[in-house]
Amino acid sequence: MLSAACRDSIRAMIYIANLSKKEKYKDRFISIYKIARDLGLSFYFLSKNFQKLVKAGLLESHRGPQGGVKLLKPPSKIRLIDIVAVIDGMDFFNNCILGFEKCSDENPCSIHNLWADKRRQILSMFEKTTLEDAIRNIEKFENIKV
Amino acid sequence: MLSAACRDSIRAMIYIANLSKKEKYKDRFISIYKIARDLGLSFYFLSKNFQKLVKAGLLESHRGPQGGVKLLKPPSKIRLIDIVAVIDGMDFFNNCILGFEKCSDENPCSIHNLWADKRRQILSMFEKTTLEDAIRNIEKFENIKV
DNA sequence: AAGATTTAAGAGTATTTTATCTTAAATATA
DNA sequence: TATATTTAAGATAAAATACTCTTAAATCTT
């Protein structure tokens, strides 16, 4: 459902949000190299994907020593759907699961009524969940990588 | 979420189930060429994907004149998840949405508890919905292609 | 001002998925 | 038996996605 690019981006955004809480990183830029290393992601791939988030206004970037990226809004104002929309687009939520152009609530394909309900719930989850919500669960997660 | 191969396969299976109801097609093989033409799908791509459904025992195939494919079980016994499992596999339902190996109910990643619930509902929908259920909605759908 | 650090941008490569083509095998029918 | 029809299987091609590399630009530090 999520592309690899989107999956990595969400992980990285949650990581940044979490770091930003700590006094040491408050309002500072966090280097993409560090993020990729800490999360076990590809620096190249992550940098490339972050460029879209910067253009979309979710991240601010800064070059040079002490440079990196930081959130432009507080974690409570950044929703997972904002990241998904930028990286993957909204096709998943807008298009018929069987690929019919004309499928809609008014003219439903043979599984539209079943699927539309699930899709709405997924959308709702991504709309309701913010980076703030996500970082609340991090402490409990005993994985090395956030 | 569904690959193009899976999307096409499900459409085609619903189409076959629907045709099978009609007296004229009862227990007959339906040519893949006809299915692809009627649904506006690629004959080549559909044949290739059908090979998996045949191997998996969902379809029976027959070569030569009057050949084609037909369902091995009544539409009420073929679930959408059976098709998904054969064509796409179950990774979507088994793997963490953020890609963590160790993510589970016992050791949840930062969005596992939110996502697991949605994923369960999607799985449940695909498990509960049979081709029989799908064809019940076809008449209402005013699209040229089923 | 020079050098080191860091992201931006675009080009390039690899892998996966999608789609097509070709040949062979099976089989019905004339 | 010969021919036409139809799927099977493997090879190939095209497109999309994932991933990497190189060079440039910005900017901090010395």
Side-chain angles (χ1 to χ4, degrees):
Chain A
M1 187 220 153
L2 298 181
S3 68
C6 193
R7 193 226 302 131
D8 288 2
S9 297
I10 289 177
R11 278 187 61 191
M13 288 291 275
I14 293 173
Y15 178 79
I16 296 170
N18 192 46
L19 259 198
S20 305
K21 281 193 314 184
K22 305 189 175 169
E23 200 50 47
K24 182 177 171 191
Y25 289 98
K26 208 86 179 176
D27 287 320
R28 305 233 344 243
F29 289 100
I30 302 162
S31 98
I32 302 176
Y33 179 82
K34 171 186 166 56
I35 299 168
R37 173 170 42 72
D38 289 356
L39 296 180
L41 302 176
S42 151
F43 163 73
Y44 289 135
F45 195 45
L46 190 60
S47 322
K48 209 92 220 54
N49 297 137
F50 268 5
Q51 290 178 16
K52 291 186 187 170
L53 296 176
V54 169
K55 278 189 183 142
L58 293 182
L59 282 178
E60 181 184 355
S61 70
H62 193 76
R63 303 187 202 194
Q66 314 308 319
V69 293
K70 71 175 168 192
L71 303 180
L72 263 172
K73 292 187 281 191
S76 61
K77 298 287 184 190
I78 299 179
R79 308 168 305 166
L80 297 187
I81 197 68
D82 299 325
I83 302 168
V84 172
V86 170
I87 304 292
D88 281 351
M90 295 296 285
D91 280 3
F92 175 82
F93 298 103
N94 294 329
N95 298 347
C96 171
I97 192 173
L98 293 185
F100 289 110
E101 289 279 345
K102 298 179 181 170
C103 178
S104 65
D105 286 348
E106 292 71 38
N107 183 38
C109 77
S110 56
I111 59 173
H112 176 86
N113 289 327
L114 292 161
W115 175 245
D117 172 50
K118 302 293 167 288
R119 193 177 61 181
R120 234 187 319 269
Q121 290 186 47
I122 300 170
L123 177 59
S124 170
M125 179 207 127
F126 279 88
E127 283 173 344
K128 283 181 187 156
T129 309
T130 66
L131 296 182
E132 175 80 19
D133 297 323
I135 59 182
R136 267 194 227 107
N137 302 316
I138 289 184
E139 293 76 23
K140 308 163 196 161
F141 191 45
E142 65 178 33
N143 214 302
I144 310 115
K145 303 165 199 321
V146 180
Chain B
M1 187 223 151
L2 298 180
S3 67
C6 194
R7 192 224 302 131
D8 289 1
S9 297
I10 289 177
R11 278 187 60 190
M13 289 290 276
I14 293 173
Y15 178 79
I16 296 170
N18 192 46
L19 260 198
S20 305
K21 282 192 314 184
K22 307 190 175 170
E23 200 50 48
K24 182 178 172 192
Y25 289 97
K26 209 83 179 178
D27 286 322
R28 304 226 352 238
F29 289 100
I30 302 162
S31 97
I32 302 177
Y33 179 83
K34 171 186 165 55
I35 299 169
R37 173 170 42 71
D38 290 356
L39 296 181
L41 302 177
S42 152
F43 162 73
Y44 290 134
F45 195 45
L46 190 60
S47 323
K48 221 55 297 5
N49 297 137
F50 268 4
Q51 290 179 15
K52 290 185 190 171
L53 296 176
V54 170
K55 279 189 183 144
L58 293 181
L59 282 177
E60 180 185 354
S61 70
H62 193 77
R63 303 188 202 193
Q66 314 308 319
V69 293
K70 69 176 170 193
L71 303 181
L72 264 173
K73 293 185 282 190
S76 62
K77 298 288 184 190
I78 300 178
R79 308 169 302 166
L80 297 187
I81 197 68
D82 298 325
I83 303 168
V84 173
V86 170
I87 305 292
D88 281 351
M90 295 296 285
D91 281 3
F92 175 82
F93 298 102
N94 294 330
N95 298 347
C96 171
I97 192 173
L98 293 186
F100 290 108
E101 289 280 344
K102 298 180 183 171
C103 176
S104 66
D105 286 349
E106 291 72 38
N107 183 38
C109 76
S110 55
I111 60 173
H112 176 86
N113 289 326
L114 292 161
W115 176 244
D117 173 50
K118 303 293 167 288
R119 193 176 60 179
R120 236 187 318 269
Q121 290 185 48
I122 301 170
L123 177 58
S124 172
M125 179 207 129
F126 279 88
E127 283 174 342
K128 282 180 187 156
T129 309
T130 66
L131 296 182
E132 174 80 19
D133 298 322
I135 58 183
R136 268 193 225 106
N137 301 317
I138 288 184
E139 295 75 23
K140 308 164 197 160
F141 190 43
E142 67 178 32
N143 213 302
I144 311 114
K145 304 166 198 320
V146 180

PDB file of all heavy atoms in Angstrom, chain B residues 125-145:
ATOM      1  N   MET B 125     -12.600  -8.414   5.139  1.00  0.00           N
ATOM      2  CA  MET B 125     -13.443  -8.152   3.981  1.00  0.00           C
ATOM      3  C   MET B 125     -13.103  -9.085   2.818  1.00  0.00           C
ATOM      4  O   MET B 125     -13.982  -9.660   2.183  1.00  0.00           O
ATOM      5  CB  MET B 125     -13.288  -6.697   3.523  1.00  0.00           C
ATOM      6  CG  MET B 125     -14.129  -6.363   2.291  1.00  0.00           C
ATOM      7  SD  MET B 125     -13.420  -5.014   1.284  1.00  0.00           S
ATOM      8  CE  MET B 125     -13.429  -5.789  -0.341  1.00  0.00           C
ATOM      9  N   PHE B 126     -11.814  -9.245   2.562  1.00  0.00           N
ATOM     10  CA  PHE B 126     -11.393 -10.111   1.456  1.00  0.00           C
ATOM     11  C   PHE B 126     -11.663 -11.588   1.759  1.00  0.00           C
ATOM     12  O   PHE B 126     -11.834 -12.380   0.841  1.00  0.00           O
ATOM     13  CB  PHE B 126      -9.905  -9.900   1.146  1.00  0.00           C
ATOM     14  CG  PHE B 126      -9.662  -8.689   0.282  1.00  0.00           C
ATOM     15  CD1 PHE B 126      -9.478  -7.432   0.839  1.00  0.00           C
ATOM     16  CD2 PHE B 126      -9.638  -8.800  -1.095  1.00  0.00           C
ATOM     17  CE1 PHE B 126      -9.278  -6.313   0.040  1.00  0.00           C
ATOM     18  CE2 PHE B 126      -9.430  -7.692  -1.907  1.00  0.00           C
ATOM     19  CZ  PHE B 126      -9.258  -6.433  -1.330  1.00  0.00           C
ATOM     20  N   GLU B 127     -11.690 -11.925   3.037  1.00  0.00           N
ATOM     21  CA  GLU B 127     -11.992 -13.306   3.408  1.00  0.00           C
ATOM     22  C   GLU B 127     -13.488 -13.599   3.320  1.00  0.00           C
ATOM     23  O   GLU B 127     -13.899 -14.694   2.977  1.00  0.00           O
ATOM     24  CB  GLU B 127     -11.508 -13.575   4.848  1.00  0.00           C
ATOM     25  CG  GLU B 127     -10.006 -13.785   4.949  1.00  0.00           C
ATOM     26  CD  GLU B 127      -9.547 -13.903   6.408  1.00  0.00           C
ATOM     27  OE1 GLU B 127     -10.306 -13.483   7.315  1.00  0.00           O
ATOM     28  OE2 GLU B 127      -8.429 -14.382   6.628  1.00  0.00           O
ATOM     29  N   LYS B 128     -14.275 -12.592   3.659  1.00  0.00           N
ATOM     30  CA  LYS B 128     -15.720 -12.802   3.696  1.00  0.00           C
ATOM     31  C   LYS B 128     -16.376 -12.697   2.324  1.00  0.00           C
ATOM     32  O   LYS B 128     -17.428 -13.288   2.088  1.00  0.00           O
ATOM     33  CB  LYS B 128     -16.377 -11.777   4.627  1.00  0.00           C
ATOM     34  CG  LYS B 128     -16.231 -12.087   6.098  1.00  0.00           C
ATOM     35  CD  LYS B 128     -16.914 -11.011   6.942  1.00  0.00           C
ATOM     36  CE  LYS B 128     -16.629 -11.206   8.424  1.00  0.00           C
ATOM     37  NZ  LYS B 128     -16.772  -9.942   9.173  1.00  0.00           N
ATOM     38  N   THR B 129     -15.761 -11.916   1.442  1.00  0.00           N
ATOM     39  CA  THR B 129     -16.398 -11.662   0.149  1.00  0.00           C
ATOM     40  C   THR B 129     -16.075 -12.740  -0.868  1.00  0.00           C
ATOM     41  O   THR B 129     -14.906 -13.025  -1.145  1.00  0.00           O
ATOM     42  CB  THR B 129     -15.962 -10.291  -0.394  1.00  0.00           C
ATOM     43  OG1 THR B 129     -16.172  -9.306   0.619  1.00  0.00           O
ATOM     44  CG2 THR B 129     -16.769  -9.939  -1.633  1.00  0.00           C
ATOM     45  N   THR B 130     -17.117 -13.331  -1.410  1.00  0.00           N
ATOM     46  CA  THR B 130     -16.939 -14.375  -2.422  1.00  0.00           C
ATOM     47  C   THR B 130     -17.342 -13.822  -3.789  1.00  0.00           C
ATOM     48  O   THR B 130     -17.905 -12.724  -3.891  1.00  0.00           O
ATOM     49  CB  THR B 130     -17.832 -15.594  -2.124  1.00  0.00           C
ATOM     50  OG1 THR B 130     -19.204 -15.190  -2.258  1.00  0.00           O
ATOM     51  CG2 THR B 130     -17.592 -16.118  -0.714  1.00  0.00           C
ATOM     52  N   LEU B 131     -17.044 -14.583  -4.828  1.00  0.00           N
ATOM     53  CA  LEU B 131     -17.431 -14.164  -6.176  1.00  0.00           C
ATOM     54  C   LEU B 131     -18.954 -14.057  -6.258  1.00  0.00           C
ATOM     55  O   LEU B 131     -19.500 -13.204  -6.962  1.00  0.00           O
ATOM     56  CB  LEU B 131     -16.899 -15.168  -7.203  1.00  0.00           C
ATOM     57  CG  LEU B 131     -15.371 -15.259  -7.301  1.00  0.00           C
ATOM     58  CD1 LEU B 131     -14.967 -16.257  -8.382  1.00  0.00           C
ATOM     59  CD2 LEU B 131     -14.756 -13.897  -7.588  1.00  0.00           C
ATOM     60  N   GLU B 132     -19.617 -14.923  -5.515  1.00  0.00           N
ATOM     61  CA  GLU B 132     -21.075 -14.888  -5.451  1.00  0.00           C
ATOM     62  C   GLU B 132     -21.565 -13.530  -4.917  1.00  0.00           C
ATOM     63  O   GLU B 132     -22.498 -12.931  -5.468  1.00  0.00           O
ATOM     64  CB  GLU B 132     -21.559 -16.024  -4.525  1.00  0.00           C
ATOM     65  CG  GLU B 132     -23.042 -16.056  -4.239  1.00  0.00           C
ATOM     66  CD  GLU B 132     -23.824 -16.687  -5.380  1.00  0.00           C
ATOM     67  OE1 GLU B 132     -23.199 -17.400  -6.190  1.00  0.00           O
ATOM     68  OE2 GLU B 132     -25.035 -16.438  -5.472  1.00  0.00           O
ATOM     69  N   ASP B 133     -20.919 -13.068  -3.873  1.00  0.00           N
ATOM     70  CA  ASP B 133     -21.287 -11.766  -3.308  1.00  0.00           C
ATOM     71  C   ASP B 133     -21.095 -10.664  -4.348  1.00  0.00           C
ATOM     72  O   ASP B 133     -21.921  -9.768  -4.483  1.00  0.00           O
ATOM     73  CB  ASP B 133     -20.422 -11.434  -2.082  1.00  0.00           C
ATOM     74  CG  ASP B 133     -20.612 -12.439  -0.948  1.00  0.00           C
ATOM     75  OD1 ASP B 133     -21.761 -12.879  -0.762  1.00  0.00           O
ATOM     76  OD2 ASP B 133     -19.624 -12.763  -0.277  1.00  0.00           O
ATOM     77  N   ALA B 134     -19.975 -10.754  -5.053  1.00  0.00           N
ATOM     78  CA  ALA B 134     -19.654  -9.708  -6.020  1.00  0.00           C
ATOM     79  C   ALA B 134     -20.658  -9.639  -7.167  1.00  0.00           C
ATOM     80  O   ALA B 134     -21.106  -8.555  -7.542  1.00  0.00           O
ATOM     81  CB  ALA B 134     -18.243  -9.916  -6.565  1.00  0.00           C
ATOM     82  N   ILE B 135     -21.003 -10.802  -7.699  1.00  0.00           N
ATOM     83  CA  ILE B 135     -21.884 -10.766  -8.878  1.00  0.00           C
ATOM     84  C   ILE B 135     -23.289 -10.274  -8.533  1.00  0.00           C
ATOM     85  O   ILE B 135     -24.016  -9.818  -9.402  1.00  0.00           O
ATOM     86  CB  ILE B 135     -21.969 -12.139  -9.595  1.00  0.00           C
ATOM     87  CG1 ILE B 135     -22.472 -13.238  -8.664  1.00  0.00           C
ATOM     88  CG2 ILE B 135     -20.632 -12.523 -10.165  1.00  0.00           C
ATOM     89  CD1 ILE B 135     -22.486 -14.607  -9.334  1.00  0.00           C
ATOM     90  N   ARG B 136     -23.648 -10.331  -7.274  1.00  0.00           N
ATOM     91  CA  ARG B 136     -24.955  -9.796  -6.870  1.00  0.00           C
ATOM     92  C   ARG B 136     -25.064  -8.308  -7.168  1.00  0.00           C
ATOM     93  O   ARG B 136     -26.154  -7.781  -7.370  1.00  0.00           O
ATOM     94  CB  ARG B 136     -25.177 -10.015  -5.367  1.00  0.00           C
ATOM     95  CG  ARG B 136     -25.880 -11.311  -5.096  1.00  0.00           C
ATOM     96  CD  ARG B 136     -26.390 -11.386  -3.665  1.00  0.00           C
ATOM     97  NE  ARG B 136     -26.063 -12.685  -3.110  1.00  0.00           N
ATOM     98  CZ  ARG B 136     -25.114 -12.920  -2.211  1.00  0.00           C
ATOM     99  NH1 ARG B 136     -24.402 -11.920  -1.724  1.00  0.00           N
ATOM    100  NH2 ARG B 136     -24.875 -14.140  -1.809  1.00  0.00           N
ATOM    101  N   ASN B 137     -23.918  -7.636  -7.202  1.00  0.00           N
ATOM    102  CA  ASN B 137     -23.945  -6.178  -7.410  1.00  0.00           C
ATOM    103  C   ASN B 137     -23.748  -5.752  -8.857  1.00  0.00           C
ATOM    104  O   ASN B 137     -23.746  -4.578  -9.174  1.00  0.00           O
ATOM    105  CB  ASN B 137     -22.859  -5.515  -6.558  1.00  0.00           C
ATOM    106  CG  ASN B 137     -23.032  -5.809  -5.092  1.00  0.00           C
ATOM    107  OD1 ASN B 137     -24.141  -5.765  -4.581  1.00  0.00           O
ATOM    108  ND2 ASN B 137     -21.939  -6.121  -4.421  1.00  0.00           N
ATOM    109  N   ILE B 138     -23.534  -6.713  -9.726  1.00  0.00           N
ATOM    110  CA  ILE B 138     -23.178  -6.349 -11.098  1.00  0.00           C
ATOM    111  C   ILE B 138     -24.317  -5.678 -11.857  1.00  0.00           C
ATOM    112  O   ILE B 138     -24.104  -4.677 -12.537  1.00  0.00           O
ATOM    113  CB  ILE B 138     -22.712  -7.600 -11.884  1.00  0.00           C
ATOM    114  CG1 ILE B 138     -21.336  -8.011 -11.378  1.00  0.00           C
ATOM    115  CG2 ILE B 138     -22.641  -7.292 -13.370  1.00  0.00           C
ATOM    116  CD1 ILE B 138     -20.732  -9.155 -12.130  1.00  0.00           C
ATOM    117  N   GLU B 139     -25.501  -6.211 -11.722  1.00  0.00           N
ATOM    118  CA  GLU B 139     -26.623  -5.660 -12.484  1.00  0.00           C
ATOM    119  C   GLU B 139     -26.751  -4.154 -12.301  1.00  0.00           C
ATOM    120  O   GLU B 139     -27.003  -3.413 -13.239  1.00  0.00           O
ATOM    121  CB  GLU B 139     -27.949  -6.329 -12.071  1.00  0.00           C
ATOM    122  CG  GLU B 139     -28.025  -7.798 -12.402  1.00  0.00           C
ATOM    123  CD  GLU B 139     -27.196  -8.656 -11.456  1.00  0.00           C
ATOM    124  OE1 GLU B 139     -26.928  -8.202 -10.334  1.00  0.00           O
ATOM    125  OE2 GLU B 139     -26.782  -9.757 -11.860  1.00  0.00           O
ATOM    126  N   LYS B 140     -26.535  -3.746 -11.083  1.00  0.00           N
ATOM    127  CA  LYS B 140     -26.713  -2.319 -10.758  1.00  0.00           C
ATOM    128  C   LYS B 140     -25.645  -1.445 -11.414  1.00  0.00           C
ATOM    129  O   LYS B 140     -25.851  -0.261 -11.627  1.00  0.00           O
ATOM    130  CB  LYS B 140     -26.659  -2.127  -9.246  1.00  0.00           C
ATOM    131  CG  LYS B 140     -27.597  -3.052  -8.490  1.00  0.00           C
ATOM    132  CD  LYS B 140     -27.223  -3.086  -7.003  1.00  0.00           C
ATOM    133  CE  LYS B 140     -27.847  -4.291  -6.333  1.00  0.00           C
ATOM    134  NZ  LYS B 140     -27.174  -4.642  -5.062  1.00  0.00           N
ATOM    135  N   PHE B 141     -24.500  -2.026 -11.685  1.00  0.00           N
ATOM    136  CA  PHE B 141     -23.372  -1.239 -12.176  1.00  0.00           C
ATOM    137  C   PHE B 141     -23.517  -0.965 -13.666  1.00  0.00           C
ATOM    138  O   PHE B 141     -23.470  -1.874 -14.485  1.00  0.00           O
ATOM    139  CB  PHE B 141     -22.086  -2.001 -11.896  1.00  0.00           C
ATOM    140  CG  PHE B 141     -20.834  -1.207 -12.123  1.00  0.00           C
ATOM    141  CD1 PHE B 141     -20.729   0.109 -11.689  1.00  0.00           C
ATOM    142  CD2 PHE B 141     -19.748  -1.781 -12.760  1.00  0.00           C
ATOM    143  CE1 PHE B 141     -19.555   0.830 -11.872  1.00  0.00           C
ATOM    144  CE2 PHE B 141     -18.576  -1.058 -12.954  1.00  0.00           C
ATOM    145  CZ  PHE B 141     -18.481   0.248 -12.509  1.00  0.00           C
ATOM    146  N   GLU B 142     -23.713   0.284 -14.002  1.00  0.00           N
ATOM    147  CA  GLU B 142     -24.012   0.628 -15.379  1.00  0.00           C
ATOM    148  C   GLU B 142     -22.764   0.871 -16.237  1.00  0.00           C
ATOM    149  O   GLU B 142     -22.793   1.563 -17.234  1.00  0.00           O
ATOM    150  CB  GLU B 142     -24.908   1.872 -15.443  1.00  0.00           C
ATOM    151  CG  GLU B 142     -24.229   3.132 -14.959  1.00  0.00           C
ATOM    152  CD  GLU B 142     -25.155   4.354 -15.078  1.00  0.00           C
ATOM    153  OE1 GLU B 142     -26.384   4.206 -14.932  1.00  0.00           O
ATOM    154  OE2 GLU B 142     -24.629   5.443 -15.329  1.00  0.00           O
ATOM    155  N   ASN B 143     -21.660   0.311 -15.795  1.00  0.00           N
ATOM    156  CA  ASN B 143     -20.448   0.431 -16.587  1.00  0.00           C
ATOM    157  C   ASN B 143     -20.537  -0.595 -17.705  1.00  0.00           C
ATOM    158  O   ASN B 143     -21.152  -1.642 -17.556  1.00  0.00           O
ATOM    159  CB  ASN B 143     -19.237   0.104 -15.721  1.00  0.00           C
ATOM    160  CG  ASN B 143     -18.027   0.918 -16.135  1.00  0.00           C
ATOM    161  OD1 ASN B 143     -17.607   0.850 -17.283  1.00  0.00           O
ATOM    162  ND2 ASN B 143     -17.499   1.691 -15.229  1.00  0.00           N
ATOM    163  N   ILE B 144     -19.965  -0.298 -18.848  1.00  0.00           N
ATOM    164  CA  ILE B 144     -19.984  -1.235 -19.959  1.00  0.00           C
ATOM    165  C   ILE B 144     -19.302  -2.527 -19.548  1.00  0.00           C
ATOM    166  O   ILE B 144     -19.765  -3.616 -19.844  1.00  0.00           O
ATOM    167  CB  ILE B 144     -19.245  -0.666 -21.189  1.00  0.00           C
ATOM    168  CG1 ILE B 144     -19.722   0.724 -21.473  1.00  0.00           C
ATOM    169  CG2 ILE B 144     -19.448  -1.580 -22.384  1.00  0.00           C
ATOM    170  CD1 ILE B 144     -18.684   1.804 -21.284  1.00  0.00           C
ATOM    171  N   LYS B 145     -18.206  -2.385 -18.880  1.00  0.00           N
ATOM    172  CA  LYS B 145     -17.402  -3.550 -18.510  1.00  0.00           C
ATOM    173  C   LYS B 145     -17.669  -3.948 -17.062  1.00  0.00           C
ATOM    174  O   LYS B 145     -17.718  -3.107 -16.184  1.00  0.00           O
ATOM    175  CB  LYS B 145     -15.936  -3.204 -18.691  1.00  0.00           C
ATOM    176  CG  LYS B 145     -15.649  -2.727 -20.102  1.00  0.00           C
ATOM    177  CD  LYS B 145     -14.294  -2.077 -20.175  1.00  0.00           C
ATOM    178  CE  LYS B 145     -14.141  -1.222 -21.421  1.00  0.00           C
ATOM    179  NZ  LYS B 145     -14.730  -1.794 -22.630  1.00  0.00           N
TER     180      LYS B 145
END
